[in-house]
Amino acid sequence: MLGSLAAVMVMTWSFNYIAVKIALEHLDRVTLVSFRLVIAGTVTSIVLLLMRRRVRLSWQDVGTFFMLGVFGVAINQGGFTVSLDFTSVGHVAIILAMGPVLVMLLARIIGQETLTLGKIAGVCLAFSGIALLTVEQGLGVHPGGLVGDLIALTA
């Protein structure tokens, strides 16, 4: 059950890149980012409030999660959406796939993570899978691509 739910989630997330690129052909980036953030914020807030009693979160915890969501989601999804207006889906996929690698390295640098062979192999395997699928379609160079790539990296 959980495996099939995870597969559906991954397929839905994979479609996200293409859906945003298509939506940007019909909407300006500020409208699309706003639309996505309002929907995500509303759904997340409802889920958080419904789970509050079940998980026994204090109101301070709810406030912390809310602020993390507002800033984390706004920066991440806002940057993701805007970057697709400047560069290719392939570039953004590769850059966002670097996220776990960078997080693992930063966590190691500040002493919160130990690097094991399994962790390194897992991150490399995940990144190489995305890179292989993306490069197979050709990355190419796009006008304004560097700006989009930098925005995606920031996201």
Side-chain angles (χ1 to χ4, degrees), residues 85-106:
D85 203 18
F86 291 98
T87 193
S88 70
V89 169
H91 281 215
V92 175
I94 291 279
I95 292 167
L96 292 183
M98 289 175 16
V101 176
L102 297 174
V103 168
M104 185 174 67
L105 292 174
L106 287 172

Side-chain angles (χ1 to χ4, degrees), residues 39-155:
I39 290 174
T42 303
V43 170
T44 304
S45 295
I46 290 169
V47 169
L48 184 59
L49 289 173
L50 291 174
M51 290 182 62
R52 182 180 168 273
R53 285 196 176 111
R54 184 172 178 217
V55 183
R56 293 192 174 105
L57 297 173
S58 70
W59 282 109
Q60 183 178 359
D61 293 334
V62 171
T64 300
F65 284 123
F66 180 77
M67 295 306 288
L68 285 171
V70 166
F71 292 108
V73 173
I75 291 169
N76 177 265
Q77 289 300 303
F80 164 76
T81 303
V82 171
S83 70
L84 281 171
D85 203 18
F86 291 98
T87 193
S88 70
V89 169
H91 281 215
V92 175
I94 291 279
I95 292 167
L96 292 183
M98 289 175 16
V101 176
L102 297 174
V103 168
M104 185 174 67
L105 292 174
L106 287 172
R108 173 63 190 117
I109 288 169
I110 63 173
Q112 291 187 343
E113 189 70 59
T114 57
L115 298 181
T116 65
L117 186 59
K119 290 176 186 177
I120 293 169
V123 168
C124 289
L125 180 65
F127 179 77
S128 63
I130 292 170
L132 180 66
L133 290 172
T134 303
V135 171
E136 179 183 50
Q137 300 300 317
L139 287 174
V141 177
H142 300 276
L146 181 59
V147 171
D149 293 350
L150 291 173
I151 294 170
L153 185 60
T154 303

